[in-house]
Amino acid sequence: MSNSVASLISLQDFSATQVYSLFEKAKSFDEKIGHQSTQSIRTAGLLFFEPSTRTRCSFEIAANNLGVRSFLLNGAEGTSLEKGESVEDTILNIAAMEPDILVIRCSDEVDLQSLSQQISMPVINAGWGKRGHPTQALLDCFTLYQEFGQLKDKKVLIVGDVKHSRVATSNFELMTKLGMQVAICGPQEFLPQNSKIPVISNLQEGLQWADAVMALRCQFERHASLQFSKQDYIANYQLNQNSMKNFKGIFMHPGPINHGVEMLLDTRADSRSRVFAQVKSGVLIRMAVVLSLLGIGN
Ligand code: CP
């Protein structure tokens, strides 16, 4: 992050110091959001090969706030992907137009790591199949940082479809790096095999332990032949007024929410909800990441 050609594909090579430096940058934007002119005009390509609301719009707003011009490729419609061009060729061709930075959401089939090494500008992973979603983890941890002031030893329970979640993958990596305690809870078919993350099988036990709970979206589109009972899930793992009645911490969800499945809570009115705080954090963190990768204000 300290030089202008680094990318953000995974959180692996990030130090805790670099993460906190981003948090401080994001916090400063909270006080004077917007219009941080980067002086010379920069261009960001937002290439979304898969659907998105929060990530795409927050990167657009982040770019606008920084005075970075953005252009958007939003799905295949109207592009040469419809004529059979590959995602890889699409990215390489857009890179040849020399934008200053690329923000990419794509499936697992695309080798984003290898592509980022073939092009000269920084690449930001904006959600890569099941592999990772680093800016989501950064905004989640930033939300917790804003809440608690410090993160070391804070306990986070991640509930639900962990196995199919890129958000969970990136959060395990980042939360562990920042000295937080993280545990998972969910039905057996949603838990990854051979994970080093401790499992708390009973939701009530997990909620008693945690300072914060994060529900994950049940990723029905990734389940294929998985045996899954929605009724059992709701009975045992749904966050609702009953299961959460004694919980004094905060709750989060990366979105989009399947209301009535993983969660049945008022995300606006419940004083424990940080769901919209996460969305706001998304703009601040993405401003900080774009600015850092463009090598401005390092
Ligand atoms: N959390 C998240 O990545 O949401 P979107 O898919 O709407 O961007």
Side-chain angles (χ1 to χ4, degrees), residues 45-63:
L46 311 182
L47 313 184
F48 280 72
F49 299 98
E50 295 201 327
S52 168
T53 298
R54 279 148 289 270
T55 312
R56 179 166 57 78
C57 294
S58 61
F59 268 113
E60 279 200 73
I61 292 170

Side-chain angles (χ1 to χ4, degrees), residues 88-225:
E88 289 82 352
D89 269 349
T90 303
I91 294 171
L92 291 173
N93 276 273
I94 290 174
M97 299 173 199
E98 301 189 338
D100 295 289
I101 192 163
L102 288 176
V103 175
I104 301 178
R105 172 167 289 194
C106 60
S107 72
D108 281 313
E109 282 74 53
V110 177
D111 190 343
L112 197 54
Q113 192 82 54
S114 155
L115 270 170
S116 72
Q117 283 154 11
Q118 294 174 52
I119 57 187
S120 57
M121 65 283 304
V123 173
I124 301 176
N125 169 359
W128 180 16
K130 286 185 278 181
R131 299 192 207 206
H133 195 351
T135 61
Q136 178 70 42
L138 285 166
L139 76 87
D140 291 337
C141 288
F142 178 67
T143 305
L144 292 162
Y145 180 62
Q146 296 272 68
E147 183 72 30
F148 297 119
Q150 63 87 28
L151 294 175
K152 192 165 173 345
D153 295 327
K154 286 291 169 215
K155 301 186 188 85
V156 180
L157 182 71
I158 299 186
V159 180
D161 193 357
V162 178
K163 193 173 180 174
H164 304 99
S165 174
R166 58 189 172 210
V167 174
T169 306
S170 289
N171 264 310
F172 295 153
E173 198 172 356
L174 187 58
M175 288 176 179
T176 307
K177 193 183 294 277
L178 299 179
M180 301 168 72
Q181 296 184 50
V182 51
I184 52 179
C185 177
Q188 206 56 42
E189 60 270 25
F190 281 178
L191 300 182
Q193 284 169 350
N194 309 320
S195 168
K196 293 192 183 113
I197 305 297
V199 176
I200 302 179
S201 307
N202 182 281
L203 179 61
Q204 287 309 314
E205 276 177 32
L207 290 173
Q208 273 173 27
W209 169 83
D211 299 305
V213 58
M214 182 188 297
L216 296 174
R217 186 171 72 85
C218 289
Q219 308 216 13
F220 299 111
E221 74 280 11
R222 296 192 203 271
H223 288 173
S225 59

Side-chain angles (χ1 to χ4, degrees), residues 11-41:
L11 293 162
Q12 211 168 4
D13 301 324
F14 247 61
S15 69
T17 308
Q18 285 171 311
V19 172
Y20 280 112
S21 156
L22 280 177
F23 286 177
E24 289 311 317
K25 206 169 273 187
K27 247 166 91 172
S28 77
F29 293 139
D30 201 12
E31 283 140 28
K32 46 176 176 122
I33 194 153
H35 319 299
Q36 306 283 314
S37 173
T38 57
Q39 279 143 20
S40 68
I41 291 172

